Amino acid sequence: MKEYQSLSHARCCCKYHVVFIPKRRKKAIFGALRQHLGEVFRELVLHKKSNAVAAHLMPDHVHMFLSIRPPHSVCNVVGFIKGKSPISLARQFGGRQRNFIGEVFWARGYLVSRVGLEEEMVRAYIRNRESGIGRLAL
């Protein structure tokens, strides 16, 4: 059953499968960096009053299953996540405390797919990415 969100005059269910990669597809997401990014993504998604239904960080890309409220657009939320997460990485792992600008961690583009009736299939796909089980056939 779908979980609808209520606004003042509307009920909605807007869920998206989002995939993005590090710059030059470097295999940079591992170990402590991976754990830190998971926490940062959760905080940033909550800051936009959205919900991360499921997420998985692979060594060279990120899968996220987001539930986004209608006042926010998908590009706004994903751009916010991709823009703010490198600042946290630089502070935690780069030794910088403030005025972090100019370096780019994520590549420019991303893939987004609206999830409707195939919600359970997308959840299973994201959950089984590490083992290589399952293909996303839409």
Side-chain angles (χ1 to χ4, degrees), residues 103-118:
E103 293 185 31
V104 179
F105 187 80
W106 303 110
R108 277 180 75 187
Y110 59 91
L111 168 108
V112 64
S113 168
R114 190 178 173 301
V115 177
L117 299 175
E118 65 278 350

Side-chain angles (χ1 to χ4, degrees), residues 27-35 37 58-59:
K27 298 189 186 299
I29 307 171
F30 57 90
L33 184 68
R34 185 176 183 172
Q35 290 177 345
L37 269 177
M58 299 294 287

Side-chain angles (χ1 to χ4, degrees), residues 18 22 25 34 45 48 60 62 79 92 99 101 117 122 136:
V18 179
R25 194 90 177 194
R34 185 176 183 172
V45 168
K48 285 291 186 180
D60 63 344
V62 175
Q92 184 73 20
N99 296 335
I101 56 171
L117 299 175
V122 173
L136 186 62

